[in-house]
């Protein structure tokens, strides 16, 4: 199924716009590259990618192995750094083309996926749904915060959408002939394996497709469904097996050490606040509620109110019947099944509330696709009701301002990361071996910075579990602690129990510098 002629130029312009608005960020000064759009944890992946690209394997320092990263994005970073050798700045700039490319893949995949989901190709009211879906993904410049943060969300979204597109192609063929399509199912299994390598919790996505095949495709013989499940399970497992093997044989666990590190502290109460907040934001589609407007006690209530409002509107406009009448909804069902274990796991069994928006990014794919599919129904209601017309105008106006503001904030910001300034100080003082908890940014730019929170440092993780980070610092010859006050004091207190002694020699913004004097 090709591109509608009037949409071709729009898709090309969307891709050009995406590459420019994402890629142009690479041309800012180094100090700004350290702050946005990449976050501190992104520099862990970038550092490992740098060492991988220079022949040192999955390592945070070129010596010690790590698995505290998502492997597929690191492999892409490794390819970028292999082109420039040891030039970290040029390699960093080159990696910023990756989110631009993955976003282009996303907007194109959304277009072709929605084209296939429309039941009646002659229904002119649905003709522009695919291009509207692509436009939503392209111009949600708030997406740059998630897709362009230097971690895996954009790559994960691209992999999920490609899987959904291929799945829709297979289902369309299944509706018109009775062939087994073994080759296509195998290809889907390979894509699923790569999706798992993009982010490990995408195993839930594999389970979602398996569940859909087993329990929802009743029109297909059970024997054929079981055959499909076996193909998908085996193929995706084989593709991702090297990473599982590496994790278990090197670190004794299937979970990356970054996940283990995040789970040490109990953030259950914060998770309960963040989940309804983020889900409410995802229901808004083109914006989210800025943190500065609401305190933590109010935000989940607002999030629940948004979700409730969307449910009420959906019942009033009969969205369920509308979707079933006009679209093949298998992709929506898959994403909904995938969302359930994501929400349960990251709310009740994981402690990283500050990353929940990133963990729920696949649900953003669901919200964007759903919004595009429902737009004709909303537009029809817009024409019939003055109240809906007024609300829509206000909503779109706020959304446009929100997206422009967030892009400007990311592109034109003059703020700089204190961790970057620590790295500059560290480069001027190579005599120090510097320990730091959130060491992603500083550790990328300065080789004498050692990770202490255990996200990418297995020995530090083991010490942190036993409340022995201070002892680890002494044993690893770390002679300076650079950290936020609370973290620094805790580490120094533990170190002093071994007979060591530190004194503060200064600070860089909120980061205190404590030198070992004994």
């Amino acid at each position: 199924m090709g591109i509608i002629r009037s949409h071709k130029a729009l898709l090309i312009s969307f891709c050009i716009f995406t590459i420019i608005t994402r890629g142009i960020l690479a041309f800012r000064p180094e100090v700004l590259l350290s702050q946005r759009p990449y976050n501190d944890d992104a520099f862990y992946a970038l550092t490992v990618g740098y060492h991988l690209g220079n022949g040192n394997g999955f390592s945070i320092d070129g010596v010690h192995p790590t698995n505290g990263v998502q492997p597929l994005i690191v492999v892409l970073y490794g390819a970028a750094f292999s082109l420039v050798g040891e030039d970290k700045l040029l390699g960093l700039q080159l990696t910023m083309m990756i989110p631009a490319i993955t976003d282009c893949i996303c907007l194109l995949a959304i277009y072709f996926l929605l084209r296939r989901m429309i039941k009646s190709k002659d229904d002119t009211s649905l003709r522009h749904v695919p291009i509207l879906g692509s436009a939503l993904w392209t111009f949600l410049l708030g997406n740059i915060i998630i897709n362009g943060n230097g971690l895996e969300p954009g790559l994960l979204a691209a992999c999920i959408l490609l899987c959904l597109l291929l799945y829709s192609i297979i289902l369309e063929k299944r509706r018109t002939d009775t062939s087994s399509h073994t080759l296509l199912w195998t290809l889907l299994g390979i894509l699923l394996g790569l999706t798992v390598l993009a982010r490990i919790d995408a195993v839930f996505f594999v389970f979602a497709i398996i569940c859909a095949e087993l329990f929802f495709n009743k029109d297909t013989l059970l024997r054929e469904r079981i055959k499909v499940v076996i193909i998908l399970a085996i193929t995706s497992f084989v593709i991702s097996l090297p990473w599982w093997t590496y994790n278990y044989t090197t670190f004794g666990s299937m979970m990356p050490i970054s996940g283990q590190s995040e789970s040490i502290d109990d953030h259950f109460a914060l998770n309960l606040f963040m989940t309804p907040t983020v889900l409410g934001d995802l229901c808004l589609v083109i914006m989210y509620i800025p943190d500065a407007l609401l305190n933590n006690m109010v935000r989940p209530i607002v999030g629940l109110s948004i979700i409730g409002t969307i449910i009420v509107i959906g019942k009033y406009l009969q969205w369920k019947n509308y979707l079933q009448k006009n679209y093949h909804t298998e992709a929506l069902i898959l994403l909904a099944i995938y969302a359930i274990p994501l929400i349960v796991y990251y709310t009740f069994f994981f402690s990283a509330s500050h990353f929940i928006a990133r963990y729920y990014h696949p649900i953003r794919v669901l919200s964007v696709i759903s919004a595009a599919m429902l737009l004709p129904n909303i537009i029809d209601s817009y024409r019939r009701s003055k109240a809906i017309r007024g609300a829509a105008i206000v909503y779109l106006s706020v959304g446009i301002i929100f997206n422009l503001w967030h892009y400007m904030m990311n592109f034109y910001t003059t703020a700089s990361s204190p961790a970057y300034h620590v790295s500059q100080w560290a480069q001027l003082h190579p005599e120090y071996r510097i320990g730091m908890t959130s060491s992603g940014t500083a550790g990328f730019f300065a080789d004498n910075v050692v990770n202490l929170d255990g996200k990418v440092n297995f020995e530090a993780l083991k010490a942190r579990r036993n409340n022995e980070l201070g002892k680890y610092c002494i044993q690893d010859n770390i002679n300076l602690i650079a950290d936020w006050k609370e973290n620094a004091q805790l580490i120094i207190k533990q170190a002093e129990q071994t007979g060591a002694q530190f004194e503060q020699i200064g600070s860089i913004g909120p980061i205190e510098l404590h030198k070992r004097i004994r």
Side-chain angles (χ1 to χ4, degrees):
M1 183 176 296
I3 303 173
I4 295 176
R5 183 176 299 177
S6 60
H7 293 169
K8 186 173 182 179
L10 286 173
L11 285 173
I12 293 172
S13 65
F14 290 168
C15 289
I16 293 172
F17 178 86
T18 296
I19 290 172
I20 291 174
T21 53
R22 277 65 161 177
I24 200 171
L25 298 179
F27 296 96
R28 296 170 300 158
E30 180 181 283
V31 63
L32 297 183
L33 291 176
S34 70
Q35 176 69 355
R36 291 194 177 107
Y38 286 177
N39 62 26
D40 188 75
D41 277 16
F43 283 96
Y44 291 133
L46 288 159
T47 303
V48 178
Y50 168 78
H51 287 294
L52 180 65
N54 284 278
N56 299 318
F58 272 77
S59 172
I60 194 61
D61 57 7
V63 178
H64 299 95
T66 187
N67 70 340
V69 291
Q70 301 297 334
L72 190 56
I73 191 68
V74 169
V75 169
L76 295 179
Y77 286 161
F81 281 108
S82 70
L83 297 176
V84 299
E86 297 185 0
D87 190 334
K88 282 188 176 181
L89 178 57
L90 183 56
L92 175 62
Q93 292 173 313
L94 189 58
T95 64
M96 287 193 166
M97 289 307 299
I98 293 174
I101 293 170
T102 55
D103 265 349
C104 286
I105 293 173
C106 286
L107 72 91
L108 290 172
I110 286 172
Y111 178 85
F112 289 108
L113 175 62
L114 288 171
R115 285 271 285 151
R116 291 186 174 275
M117 291 176 71
I118 297 171
K119 285 184 176 179
S120 174
K121 311 309 176 187
D122 299 325
D123 190 338
T124 56
S125 68
L126 304 179
R127 176 183 175 87
H128 299 302
V129 165
I131 201 67
L132 288 171
S134 294
L136 276 175
W137 193 269
T138 301
F139 295 106
L140 292 184
L141 291 177
N143 260 353
I144 203 168
I145 298 172
I146 300 294
N147 292 338
N149 67 4
L151 291 163
E152 75 292 331
L155 178 61
L156 175 63
C159 288
I160 288 171
L161 284 163
L162 288 175
C163 287
L164 292 175
L165 177 58
L166 180 55
Y167 187 58
S168 70
I169 292 171
I170 296 173
L171 293 185
E172 184 175 296
K173 289 182 177 295
R174 179 189 273 174
R175 285 190 287 267
T176 57
D177 65 66
T178 58
S179 302
S180 60
H181 308 297
T182 301
L183 181 61
L184 287 177
W185 285 116
T186 303
L187 181 57
L188 179 58
I190 293 171
L191 269 177
L192 287 171
L194 292 174
T195 305
V196 171
L197 293 177
R199 182 164 178 83
I200 300 304
D201 61 18
V203 292
F204 295 139
F205 185 55
V206 179
F207 292 148
I209 289 188
I210 288 174
C211 288
E213 276 301 297
L214 283 178
F215 304 114
F216 292 96
N217 287 325
K218 299 294 186 179
D219 295 335
T220 307
L221 293 174
L222 178 61
R223 182 179 61 185
E224 178 66 21
R225 283 182 277 154
I226 292 175
K227 176 184 174 182
V228 166
V229 166
I230 292 173
I231 291 173
L232 295 180
I234 292 177
T235 309
S236 60
F237 179 70
V238 167
I239 295 298
S240 58
L241 181 59
W243 185 247
W244 301 119
T245 303
Y246 170 68
N247 285 353
Y248 188 76
T249 57
T250 308
F251 304 97
S253 174
M254 295 295 190
M255 179 181 284
I257 60 175
S258 54
Q260 296 178 52
S261 173
E262 292 285 14
S263 298
I264 290 177
D265 298 323
D266 184 7
H267 291 172
F268 177 64
L270 289 174
N271 290 350
L272 289 178
F273 279 108
M274 287 302 298
T275 286
T277 301
V278 173
L279 293 178
D281 289 340
L282 292 174
C283 286
L284 289 175
V285 184
I286 65 172
M287 70 185 97
Y288 58 82
I289 304 298
D291 295 349
L293 292 183
L294 303 170
N295 62 44
N296 283 339
M297 295 300 294
V298 176
R299 290 175 66 203
I301 297 173
V302 172
L304 290 172
S305 300
I306 293 170
I307 295 170
T309 301
I310 294 297
I311 291 173
V312 170
I313 293 174
K315 286 186 175 294
Y316 175 73
L317 296 180
Q318 298 183 323
W319 282 348
K320 181 180 178 180
N321 293 336
Y322 176 82
L323 290 173
Q324 290 177 339
K325 176 183 176 182
N326 293 286
Y327 300 97
H328 299 293
T329 57
E330 293 91 349
L332 296 184
I333 293 172
L334 272 181
L335 290 171
I337 296 172
Y338 180 21
I340 293 170
L342 283 180
I343 294 169
V344 171
Y345 180 70
Y346 287 113
T347 302
F348 299 101
F349 300 100
F350 201 76
S351 296
S353 57
H354 51 290
F355 277 140
I356 279 183
R358 167 188 160 202
Y359 299 150
Y360 291 173
H361 193 53
I363 305 175
R364 185 183 304 275
V365 177
L366 173 61
S367 70
V368 168
I369 291 175
S370 300
M373 294 166 71
L374 292 169
L375 270 173
N377 177 266
I378 295 170
I379 291 171
D380 183 59
S381 303
Y382 169 91
R383 290 170 178 164
R384 290 186 284 107
S385 169
K386 289 184 177 180
I388 293 177
R389 191 155 55 240
I393 291 172
V394 171
Y395 174 71
L396 288 174
S397 299
V398 172
I400 290 170
I401 294 170
F402 174 90
N403 283 280
L404 287 173
W405 167 254
H406 275 78
Y407 182 73
M408 297 290 285
M409 183 178 69
N410 277 273
F411 184 46
Y412 289 105
T413 179
T414 57
S416 58
S417 165
Y420 172 78
H421 295 294
V422 169
S423 75
Q424 301 307 291
W425 188 91
Q427 291 179 61
L428 295 174
H429 297 84
E431 69 274 16
Y432 290 119
R433 183 169 168 80
I434 302 168
M436 187 175 183
T437 51
S438 297
S439 63
T441 305
F444 176 81
F445 291 100
D447 294 333
N448 55 333
V449 175
V450 180
N451 174 251
L452 294 184
D453 62 15
K455 287 183 179 178
V456 289
N457 183 345
F458 190 40
E459 295 304 316
L461 173 64
K462 290 187 287 186
R464 187 178 164 210
R465 281 176 175 162
N466 297 322
N467 293 317
E468 294 180 343
L469 265 182
K471 180 180 178 181
Y472 165 75
C473 290
I474 303 307
Q475 293 175 340
D476 202 36
N477 297 317
I478 292 172
N479 54 4
L480 189 134
I481 304 297
D483 226 312
W484 283 260
K485 183 176 181 179
E486 183 178 351
N487 294 340
Q489 289 180 345
L490 176 62
I491 295 168
I492 290 168
K493 182 180 179 180
Q494 294 174 357
E496 288 175 343
Q497 293 174 359
T498 69
Q501 188 174 348
F502 287 78
E503 69 173 4
Q504 185 172 350
I505 61 172
S507 61
I508 299 175
I511 299 176
E512 296 181 349
L513 305 178
H514 295 264
K515 172 186 174 182
R516 183 183 176 187
I517 58 175
R518 188 177 68 189

